Amino acid sequence: MKGLLTEIRQCSVCKPFLPLGPNPIISASPKSKIVLASQAPGRIAHEQSVAWDDPSGRRLREWLDVDDKTFYNPDNFAILPLGFCYPGKGKTGDLPPRPECAPLWHKQVTDRFECDPLYILIGNHSQQFYLQDKLTLTRRIQNFEAYLPKYFVLPHPSPVNHFWLNKNKWFESDVLPVLKAEIQKRLS
Ligand code: SF4
C-alpha cells in the first residue's frame, strides 16, 4: 500500500484540467476498516492538504460519532474521494471529480485491504460509481439497508445541503442511529 500511495501522490494524469495543479489527497492503510468514498477535495482541503477539516468534516464526524483522532487514523478510516485532486469551480459550485481518477486508482487501493471494509458512499458521484444504478440519491438513502453490509449510502454533509437535510428529517431519526451502530461495530 505504501508504494501505491507514493505513486498516487506523484500522479499528474489530469494536470491540464486542474486549475491549481495536482495535489492528490488520499489516506489508506491495509488495515482500513471503513472507506470514506466522497466526491473530491475542495479548495481549502487542497490548500491545507487535509481532507474533511472543515464544517462538512465536522458534521460527518458527528454523524459517524467519532473524534478527530479516530477519524484521521487510516487503520480506521481510508479517505478515498472519487477524484483525489481539487477539480476547480464551475458555475454552481465545485466541478465534479475528474473522471480519470477513480477508474485508474480505486481498485488498486481497495485490492490492498486485508479485510472487507465498509464503504461509506457520500453523495451521488461515489454512489453512481460504486452502485452503477440510476436511482436518485434520496431513493437510495431511503433504501439504505438494502446496500448493507458492504455499502452505507449518505448525502454529502456540506452546509449547502441544508435544504435536503431539513426536507428529509427521517434521515436524522432513522438512518443516523443505524450508521453510528455500524461504525461502532466496525471499529470495535
Ligand atoms: S485527480 Fe487523480 S488521476 Fe487526476 S491528477 Fe489527481 S490523482 Fe491523478
Side-chain angles (χ1 to χ4, degrees):
M1 181 72 90
K2 212 171 157 192
L4 176 63
L5 294 184
T6 303
E7 198 185 334
I8 292 172
R9 288 179 181 127
Q10 292 167 351
C11 177
S12 59
V13 163
C14 33
K15 187 176 178 184
F17 306 103
L18 300 172
L20 302 184
N23 182 18
I25 297 177
I26 170 176
S27 170
S29 143
K31 296 184 187 308
S32 297
K33 303 176 185 81
I34 300 161
V35 176
L36 298 169
S38 56
Q39 44 192 57
R43 188 179 180 120
I44 295 173
H46 170 90
E47 285 165 355
Q48 299 178 345
S49 296
V50 181
W52 297 113
D53 187 20
D54 57 11
S56 301
R58 284 190 279 283
R59 179 180 270 162
L60 179 60
R61 285 186 282 283
E62 277 174 28
W63 287 357
L64 302 170
D65 199 18
V66 295
D67 59 20
D68 288 12
K69 194 174 166 204
T70 306
F71 183 85
Y72 284 111
N73 180 350
D75 287 350
N76 295 325
F77 290 92
I79 295 176
L80 199 66
L82 262 281
F84 300 149
C85 299
Y86 171 61
K89 258 210 164 354
K91 282 184 188 158
T92 56
D94 285 353
L95 289 169
R98 286 303 312 170
E100 299 87 343
C101 198
L104 177 62
W105 293 118
H106 269 223
K107 189 164 186 311
Q108 295 193 60
V109 176
T110 58
D111 279 350
R112 284 167 168 80
F113 292 136
E114 289 171 0
C115 303
D116 288 337
L118 171 67
Y119 288 78
I120 301 192
L121 306 180
I122 303 168
N124 217 17
H125 292 296
S126 64
Q127 291 166 19
Q128 282 174 346
F129 181 78
Y130 276 96
L131 303 176
Q132 302 276 313
D133 66 19
K134 295 195 188 317
L135 298 178
T136 63
L137 178 131
T138 304
R139 192 67 185 275
R140 287 192 206 104
I141 296 172
Q142 283 169 333
N143 295 328
F144 73 97
E145 283 166 310
Y147 302 102
L148 286 167
K150 184 163 186 181
Y151 300 112
F152 207 114
V153 288
L154 291 181
H156 199 283
S158 165
V160 300
N161 228 355
H162 206 62
F163 178 76
W164 189 94
L165 294 168
N166 265 338
K167 194 175 163 206
N168 297 286
K169 296 280 189 196
W170 50 266
F171 171 72
E172 206 169 316
S173 58
D174 300 352
V175 181
L176 287 185
V178 182
L179 175 67
K180 289 180 198 326
E182 194 64 32
I183 298 300
Q184 281 310 310
K185 193 167 82 187
R186 298 286 180 145
L187 294 179
S188 61

